[in-house]
Amino acid sequence: MTRALIFPGQGSQSVGMGRELAEAFGAAREVFDEVNDALGQNLSKLMWEGPQDDLTLTENAQPAIMAVSLAVTRTLEREGGFRLADKAAFVAGHSLGEYSALAAAGTFSIADTARLLKRRGQAMQRAVPVGEGAMAALLGLDFDQAAEVAAEAAQGPNGKEVCTAANDNGGGQVVVSGTKAAVERAIEIAKTKGAKRSMLLPVSAPFHCPLMQPAADEMAEALGAVELKAPSVPLVANVTASKVADPATIRDLLVKQVTGMVRWRESVLYMEEQGVTSYVEVGAGKALSGMVKRIAKEPEITAVGTPADVEAFLKSV
């Protein structure tokens, strides 16, 4: 059995996330304390007590989701002697989850990861004024059909607006991102192309599209000031859907990821081609588990996010 560890992205946040881990394991508490110290913010209090609206803010949700993933990872290491290099062939993450994956594999320190994600969230929010951008999920179209819808929607009455495929999540789920009017047009066009359902997503900015270029420029500066080590296992990168281990290349791909598409369907297919049969979703929620089920052939999928999950997983390995 060949295993990959996968790390969730934005949308997995909920009030109470990580609290049981912190109560059960000292290793998890350490991670939450490190993140709080790095940010100069009591992020764990916000995670455990809310309010949900503040937790959902991009600048809080991104480091919070990472913190839960790394709390699980460190607990597996400390409680069960789980060594990533011995137990997995790849790591991968969905959007911000790529930073969690790299922190788990030792490329970044947890403190640097928290600060990078805080800045990433702030930079993404600054890039486009609230209300000017949007994202929508198109369900029931394959990727090529969804890309055609986005291209048609971008040809707006005011000349060319922005609407591009942002997340190829597999199983007939493609997210488009761009100018609000163009994304709303995409929803209407998708209906005429046979989409089962299309809906605006409750996000505060149009991620993974060219409108995010100011945020990409800011992340290039931020990543240039941080030390990156080679990961203990290769990363399957969002923007290339193939493995990478060179720190300079990883830095470049993380910058491109801000405006580039999350090629999740292709990433899972790549891992499957490399012999991966077992996927372990590390952290909050089970969103990626559902995606993998729709993409891979008969995968073995485990979600590890609670103390009970940790104990059951350690018994299985």
Side-chain angles (χ1 to χ4, degrees):
M1 177 181 66
T2 302
R3 182 183 292 113
L5 267 59
I6 55 177
F7 295 80
Q10 207 157 332
S12 298
Q13 69 276 358
S14 62
V15 173
M17 62 192 290
R19 185 176 214 152
E20 288 184 355
L21 286 166
E23 290 170 351
F25 302 112
R29 285 195 298 278
E30 284 176 14
V31 170
F32 295 123
D33 288 345
E34 283 179 42
V35 170
N36 290 343
D37 290 346
L39 298 180
Q41 172 190 3
N42 195 343
L43 184 63
S44 57
K45 185 175 190 290
L46 175 60
M47 291 162 63
W48 299 337
E49 300 176 13
Q52 179 74 31
D53 285 352
D54 288 353
L55 179 59
T56 300
L57 290 172
T58 303
E59 66 175 83
N60 293 325
Q62 293 198 17
I65 291 163
M66 179 278 297
V68 177
S69 289
L70 270 293
V72 172
T73 305
R74 186 173 290 181
T75 299
L76 293 175
E77 293 168 348
R78 191 78 56 81
E79 296 291 320
F82 183 91
R83 288 191 71 248
L84 188 59
D86 297 336
K87 300 291 187 180
F90 301 103
V91 292
H94 194 284
S95 191
L96 84 89
E98 199 154 74
Y99 284 80
S100 307
L102 288 164
T107 294
F108 296 122
S109 70
I110 288 174
D112 281 343
T113 310
R115 287 188 286 262
L116 285 168
L117 286 174
K118 184 78 172 179
R119 186 164 177 184
R120 183 176 183 266
Q122 292 170 334
M124 286 176 153
Q125 197 59 70
R126 280 194 295 267
V128 180
V130 173
E132 290 188 13
M135 299 180 79
L138 311 183
L139 307 181
L141 301 179
D142 66 25
F143 175 73
D144 290 340
Q145 291 171 314
E148 286 174 12
V149 167
E152 187 176 333
Q155 302 298 332
N158 307 317
K160 190 165 174 61
E161 294 178 337
V162 172
C163 186
T164 61
N167 302 337
D168 179 9
N169 289 333
Q173 184 191 108
V174 179
V175 174
V176 297
S177 180
T179 313
K180 190 168 189 279
V183 171
E184 289 173 341
R185 273 196 302 277
I187 290 173
E188 296 307 311
I189 295 167
K191 290 176 185 174
T192 71
K193 304 286 188 184
K196 292 176 185 172
R197 195 155 60 104
S198 300
M199 72 212 83
L200 286 172
L201 297 178
V203 294
S204 55
F207 306 128
H208 300 290
C209 80
L211 296 175
M212 287 285 112
Q213 188 57 50
D217 295 340
E218 191 166 336
M219 289 313 295
E221 179 187 332
L223 286 158
V226 172
E227 180 188 9
L228 280 74
K229 296 176 182 172
S232 57
V233 298
L235 171 79
V236 178
N238 284 181
V239 296
T240 60
S242 60
K243 69 178 181 180
V244 60
D246 172 65
T249 306
I250 288 170
R251 181 183 278 114
D252 181 53
L253 293 177
L254 287 173
V255 174
K256 290 178 177 174
Q257 185 226 57
V258 178
T259 55
M261 182 175 69
V262 177
R263 295 168 61 182
W264 188 252
R265 175 181 59 88
E266 293 172 271
S267 295
V268 173
L269 291 174
Y270 173 82
M271 288 187 278
E272 190 173 49
E273 287 169 5
Q274 302 301 309
V276 172
T277 56
S278 174
Y279 300 83
V280 181
E281 182 169 6
V282 182
K286 298 181 180 178
L288 297 185
S289 298
M291 291 181 199
V292 171
K293 279 179 190 170
R294 295 194 294 268
I295 299 166
K297 297 185 187 81
E298 300 181 0
E300 179 185 300
I301 303 172
T302 308
V304 185
T306 67
D309 293 340
V310 167
E311 289 165 7
F313 178 69
L314 289 175
K315 286 176 185 172
S316 74
V317 294

